[in-house]
Amino acid sequence: DDKIELNRRMNETLEAMAQALFKSWFVDFDPVVVNALKAGNPIPDKFADRAAHYRENPDRLGLPDHILHLFPDSFVDSELGPIPEGWEVKQLSTLAELRVETVVPIRESEALWEHYSIPAFDEGKIPKYELGRDIKSGKYKVPVTAVLVSKLNPQFPRIWLPDVINKERAVCSTEFMPFVPKQIKWRPLLYELMKSDIVQKKIRSAVTGSTGSRQRVKPKSVASMDVVVAPRNVLDTFSDQMSSIHNRVLFNQRESRTLSALRDTLLPKLISGELRLSDVEKILEDAL
């Protein structure tokens, strides 16, 4: 339990770091502000605070030159306000496909399914392994590269980066929207985009339903929302930067999944006296 909690806290820190970098590049446009300062170009009032932050020391951004040079040194107007020159406002569907393929697990009643449910997310982002006969309703298939976004009660965001083990029997609640990036390597970008405050605010503004417990957003509304899209070399570079952080997050989740299963299996045997503490310690050492 202590190790599971440590992994959870570590993942919180890693995800906060990743979201901070996303905000710097794609919301505050810090690299563009720095380049504009160096070039002596005007900076929109919206980014005046960012300009003041970097004016005395543009190098405090800390990006190497080969990455900084991927960004322009000026802004242009758009329907979403000032954006970097050469960037575009497009629908989310240009970056990711909403893929809803229905599966009925009960038709394979004795098979073990990897079930990504709302309760499983809330209990630590560890999917439940359930027999098909115990999953009563239809579910969506979870592609290996998917990012799951809850459409239920978006005031409580649930954005899941699933670590699919069995791609043939991974399913999720139909309360999730499975988005698959148009380019596989953009999965880290898609995950951070869907977690961002700017996208979450748009999702909350599109909810339907009159009560807090039944509010939902329409998947097509999410897929068609406008977002600022950078050139491909920026998208690729950001995804490369994020991949190591996300891999560590998934590793920690995988380890917690193993520990949780071991705990639930071994604890009753330990309490009953079937196993001794030394036996359990040896099993844990071998497993990890």
Side-chain angles (χ1 to χ4, degrees), residues 14-267:
L14 290 169
E15 296 212 28
M17 292 169 54
Q19 188 58 208
L21 186 62
F22 177 88
K23 184 174 183 293
S24 176
W25 285 28
F26 298 103
V27 179
D28 296 331
F29 305 127
D30 285 340
V32 186
V33 170
V34 167
N35 284 342
L37 285 171
K38 291 180 176 180
N41 291 332
I43 296 172
D45 291 343
K46 181 178 180 179
F47 306 112
D49 289 344
R50 306 309 299 165
H53 179 72
Y54 292 111
R55 182 164 282 110
E56 296 301 323
N57 182 15
D59 293 334
R60 71 169 55 185
L61 180 59
L63 285 181
D65 287 343
H66 73 278
I67 293 181
L68 196 58
H69 289 161
L70 298 176
F71 294 83
D73 60 9
S74 59
F75 291 88
V76 296
D77 290 330
S78 78
E79 54 268 45
L80 296 183
I83 64 173
E85 184 178 22
W87 295 28
E88 299 178 89
V89 174
K90 295 183 178 181
Q91 292 188 350
L92 176 63
S93 57
T94 64
L95 292 175
E97 173 190 358
L98 178 63
R99 193 174 297 176
V100 286
E101 180 182 347
T102 302
V103 179
V104 184
I106 200 169
R107 292 177 181 169
E108 296 183 51
S109 60
E110 298 306 311
L112 195 63
W113 294 80
E114 191 175 326
H115 186 191
Y116 293 82
S117 66
I118 296 290
F121 180 94
D122 292 344
E123 292 168 14
K125 299 183 182 179
I126 299 175
K128 303 292 185 182
Y129 287 90
E130 300 173 280
L131 293 174
R133 64 169 179 261
D134 296 324
I135 304 175
K136 305 303 182 184
S137 59
K139 305 297 175 185
Y140 291 147
K141 187 172 183 179
V142 179
V144 173
T145 59
V147 172
L148 304 180
V149 182
S150 173
K151 63 184 179 184
L152 175 68
N153 297 336
Q155 68 270 31
F156 304 111
R158 296 179 176 94
I159 318 299
W160 201 340
L161 188 71
D163 183 22
V164 173
I165 304 300
N166 185 346
K167 65 180 181 179
E168 299 302 324
R169 292 197 174 90
V171 295
C172 68
S173 164
T174 54
E175 295 291 2
F176 280 113
M177 299 176 284
F179 281 96
V180 177
K182 290 294 183 74
Q183 301 292 327
I184 292 175
K185 71 180 305 179
W186 291 350
R187 191 186 187 210
L189 168 79
L190 177 62
Y191 179 63
E192 297 303 331
L193 174 65
M194 301 311 294
K195 283 179 60 183
S196 67
D197 289 342
I198 197 165
V199 165
Q200 286 302 310
K201 184 178 179 180
K202 290 183 178 182
I203 290 177
R204 289 193 296 271
S205 69
V207 296
T208 59
S210 57
T211 65
S213 62
R214 296 182 179 179
Q215 288 188 328
R216 288 177 174 83
V217 65
K218 293 181 179 179
K220 288 184 179 179
S221 297
V222 177
S224 62
M225 71 169 53
D226 286 338
V227 294
V228 178
V229 179
R232 180 163 181 165
N233 57 358
V234 176
L235 303 181
D236 288 349
T237 301
F238 178 81
S239 296
D240 289 342
Q241 295 278 309
M242 288 298 98
S243 61
S244 60
I245 293 178
H246 287 177
N247 287 341
R248 182 65 202 187
V249 167
L250 292 177
F251 175 85
N252 290 341
Q253 288 180 354
R254 202 174 303 130
E255 186 177 64
S256 292
R257 185 187 303 188
T258 300
L259 287 168
S260 177
L262 285 170
R263 177 197 60 201
D264 296 344
T265 301
L266 298 176
L267 189 58

